[in-house]
Amino acid sequence: MKLDSYVNGQWIAPSGDFTEVRSAVTGDVVAEAMSGGLDMRGILAYARNTGGRNLRRLTFHQRADMLKKLAQYLTERKEQLYKLSFQTGATRTDNLIDVDGGIGTLFVYAGKGRRELPNATFLLDGAVEPMGKAGTFAGQHIITSLQGVAVHINAFNFPCWGLLEKLAPALLAGVPVVSKPATVTSYVAHALARMIAESGVIPEGAFQLIVGPTGDLFDHLTCQDVVSFTGSAETSEKLQRQPVIAREAVRFVAERDSLNAAILTPDSGPGTPEFDLFIKEVAKEMTVKAGQKCTAIRRVLAPTGHVEAVIEALRERLDKVVTGNPEQDNVRMGPVVGLDQRRDVLGHVKALRTEAQLVAGDPDNFDVQGADVVRGAFVPPILLHCANPNQATKVHSIEAFGPVSTVMGYSDLEEAVTLTNRGGGSLVASVYTHDPKVASDLVFGVSSFHGRLVLIDRDCAREQTGHGSPMPQMVHGGPGRAGGGEELGGVRSVHHYMQRTAVQGSPRMLTGVTGSWTKNAPIVEKDRHPFRFHFEDLDVGQTFYSKERTITLEDIEHFAHFTGDTFYAHMDEEATKGHPFFPGRVAHGYLLLSFAAGLFVDPDPGPVLANYGLDSLRFIKPIQPGETIKVRLTAKDKSPRNKQYGEVRWDVEILTDKDESAATYELLTMNAVRPAA
């Protein structure tokens, strides 16, 4: 299989030398990756001028629907990816993480795009900031799509998940992607890319794949581009030193080496559920993907008194792991990705053994099932024990990217924190305790050195997703050695591909630019109630002023007894004397909301289908018996949802008869679209 690149809307076989890509299981050649002959400047231009423009025409909801359709398309064809991935050394369980995990990430971002983003092409960030006493000058932050390219440099260990977890937020942000997979597993990424191209779901120019070296790609980047890299610290540093990265201030997101730790606490000794969870998780993280995970557990920390029990329990569990051909059902761990990787892992194990003792797994004598131990890139699960972790350096600095972990003891929690943080910045650490105080001490001791912390105990045992599973909703990344970047984290990662800009001007101008009514902007008054207008006929700024209503003592007492809210401020004049907020008995805040609804709601059936909530409620001025209120209702902004209805956000202000603000909030309604003629 000769691997071509998908660029400029077509599959192109590059010219020049080729690299043989071999099976991790058999050592046989499974593909040839070509290098050279690609016009990198043209590839980036095509992405910017065609892909970017096509994506930015779509709203967040349309892009979310695109991700959902792509996920559905790939789901129907995932068995093809499973079959290819066996040659990388991945078992079916490993493929579940890589293939299904990647597709699942598309589904998550599709859902988040629909639920958490507006049906628009830009975002408003935060509230309007008044900048003058008279209210004629204000500021609003907006977030817009970058007009560049997302260049994704992916690692070998997850050819599907790595591509898709970066693709999803970039496309949702409206930025086209140029993806470059690691060569050694590029045949899997190539098959995935073919599916993406053949789906017809992604707009023209929004996705391209480069197989082989990137050539002079980095020389043509601009300030509008983003580089997202996953791989070694050495390669990351090399790329970040590219002159254009500094000159153009190109955004660079890195996810790289990490000496992740699992911490067993003193209260979680043998016989506790947490001890069993700890042993199970460490063994799993050592053997899933043959330990080739950036989030795998490299350092196993336990109280000194529990170290012997930890080693014995892990040895017993690892002895049961069947290593061999990953296509066989009873095989639990396949080979590492290739012979070069095996040499690298064993070289690192040799270095680690200068500070740690081998306690499980013999790299020179082990069996494999259904494969040739010499031709395949097999490594047994290897467990080391470092007796003096405070004096050691290599166990805190060398990552053997394979099925290798080192056990080390600590005397107290302070030492556990110190040892954990010696990793110099990690993607994840997990803590096994049932004591919230112990968990708190560890969290606040190590959090600044980690991108993610997982607290695992008996209460969450059934649902917890594990130490090594980055979830789309949560941040994936870490400081220092881990690269200092962030991926995933829900909608947060979409912002990495967008620019936050402060827009300042008059309320009228801000309203015109953002499409969201700003207080003190002109209002629109019509002869009909705004609830009488269909979604597309309602103007932003359209306003209704209600009649007035006087709040009586009888109203307050009736509301108190009817609802059961007999809080003293509503019922006892004497109790409010000297109160810092209340000048005497006052109306319930929710009474004001209820009366406000009675003042502004148009009762007859019409375009308003439902009220589904309110945001940003603030009670500003207490209302006493005898005071009068009225309501200003203004259409703040609109967001279409589907062909039947759209969301309307209303700015609501409850005013006194002296035009003092008593309460403010935003009301959300679903309004019908005008029926087709």
Side-chain angles (χ1 to χ4, degrees), residues 254-255 426-428 450-452 475-479 482 484-487:
E255 187 265 284
S426 300
L427 295 170
V428 56
H450 292 78
R452 180 166 59 92
V475 166
H476 177 51
E486 288 186 359
E487 296 177 1

Side-chain angles (χ1 to χ4, degrees), residues 455-501:
L455 310 177
I456 298 177
D457 67 359
R458 67 196 72 176
D459 298 337
C460 67
R462 289 180 178 273
E463 285 193 317
Q464 57 96 6
T465 53
H467 165 103
S469 299
M471 302 303 291
Q473 302 89 337
M474 307 303 291
V475 166
H476 177 51
R481 180 189 177 113
E486 288 186 359
E487 296 177 1
L488 300 176
V491 169
R492 182 187 185 97
S493 63
V494 176
H495 293 183
H496 296 330
Y497 299 95
M498 306 184 78
Q499 176 63 44
R500 186 171 185 251
T501 303

Side-chain angles (χ1 to χ4, degrees), residues 213-483:
T214 55
D216 64 349
L217 176 69
F218 278 70
D219 294 340
H220 307 298
L221 297 176
T222 73
C223 68
Q224 291 295 297
D225 301 320
V226 181
V227 175
S228 183
F229 170 84
T230 301
S232 69
E234 180 182 2
T235 304
S236 173
E237 291 165 9
K238 180 180 177 181
L239 294 177
Q240 286 179 287
R241 286 195 297 267
Q242 292 273 347
V244 71
I245 299 291
R247 185 181 70 242
E248 295 288 332
V250 176
R251 301 182 189 199
F252 196 102
V253 180
E255 187 265 284
R256 57 193 200 192
D257 298 356
S258 183
L259 288 163
N260 312 296
I263 309 168
L264 183 73
T265 63
D267 64 289
S268 302
T272 65
E274 287 70 33
F275 183 87
D276 295 338
L277 289 166
F278 176 79
I279 297 300
K280 180 180 179 180
E281 196 69 17
V282 171
K284 183 182 78 172
E285 286 300 312
M286 287 181 66
T287 54
V288 169
K289 292 291 288 187
Q292 298 168 112
K293 293 173 60 183
C294 54
T295 54
I297 295 170
R298 306 299 178 194
R299 297 175 300 150
V300 183
L301 278 66
T304 303
H306 297 332
V307 165
E308 187 175 336
V310 166
I311 292 173
E312 184 57 37
L314 284 174
R315 184 189 291 123
E316 181 181 349
R317 196 171 188 96
L318 293 173
D319 282 346
K320 297 176 182 178
V321 174
V322 178
T323 301
N325 185 337
E327 290 192 76
Q328 297 192 357
D329 290 340
N330 66 328
V331 168
R332 292 295 171 262
M333 190 179 84
V336 294
V337 76
L339 295 178
D340 288 343
Q341 184 64 18
R342 182 173 71 177
R343 281 189 289 271
D344 185 68
V345 170
L346 295 180
H348 284 148
V349 169
K350 183 178 180 180
L352 290 171
R353 290 179 70 176
T354 64
E355 295 181 345
Q357 176 188 2
L358 185 70
V359 293
D362 183 351
D364 298 318
N365 183 22
F366 63 98
D367 296 323
V368 299
Q369 180 173 298
D372 188 325
V373 71
V374 177
R375 286 177 58 81
F378 294 96
V379 178
I382 295 174
L383 187 68
L384 304 168
H385 171 224
C386 179
N388 298 296
N390 283 306
Q391 284 72 49
T393 58
K394 293 176 182 177
V395 296
H396 303 298
S397 61
I398 293 177
E399 181 186 23
F401 203 69
V404 183
S405 290
T406 302
V407 178
M408 56 192 76
Y410 66 84
S411 59
D412 54 30
L413 290 184
E414 184 177 352
E415 186 177 21
V417 168
T418 300
L419 291 174
T420 302
N421 292 346
R422 283 189 64 187
S426 300
L427 295 170
V428 56
S430 52
V431 176
Y432 301 79
T433 182
H434 200 235
D435 186 332
K437 175 62 169 63
V438 170
S440 178
D441 289 345
L442 287 172
V443 164
F444 293 106
V446 306
S447 59
S448 65
F449 282 80
H450 292 78
R452 180 166 59 92
L453 297 173
V454 190
L455 310 177
I456 298 177
D457 67 359
R458 67 196 72 176
D459 298 337
C460 67
R462 289 180 178 273
E463 285 193 317
Q464 57 96 6
T465 53
H467 165 103
S469 299
M471 302 303 291
Q473 302 89 337
M474 307 303 291
V475 166
H476 177 51
R481 180 189 177 113

Side-chain angles (χ1 to χ4, degrees), residues 93 160 293 447 541 571 619 635:
T93 299
C160 295
K293 293 173 60 183
S447 59
M571 306 302 291
F619 296 117

Side-chain angles (χ1 to χ4, degrees), residues 170-242:
L171 293 185
L172 189 55
V175 176
V177 169
V178 172
S179 185
K180 194 280 179 199
T183 301
V184 69
T185 54
S186 56
Y187 52 94
V188 180
H190 179 271
L192 175 61
R194 278 203 172 272
M195 293 179 186
I196 293 172
E198 291 167 0
S199 72
V201 171
I202 306 298
E204 181 186 354
F207 173 73
Q208 299 180 81
L209 180 84
I210 297 173
V211 177
T214 55
D216 64 349
L217 176 69
F218 278 70
D219 294 340
H220 307 298
L221 297 176
T222 73
C223 68
Q224 291 295 297
D225 301 320
V226 181
V227 175
S228 183
F229 170 84
T230 301
S232 69
E234 180 182 2
T235 304
S236 173
E237 291 165 9
K238 180 180 177 181
L239 294 177
Q240 286 179 287
R241 286 195 297 267
Q242 292 273 347

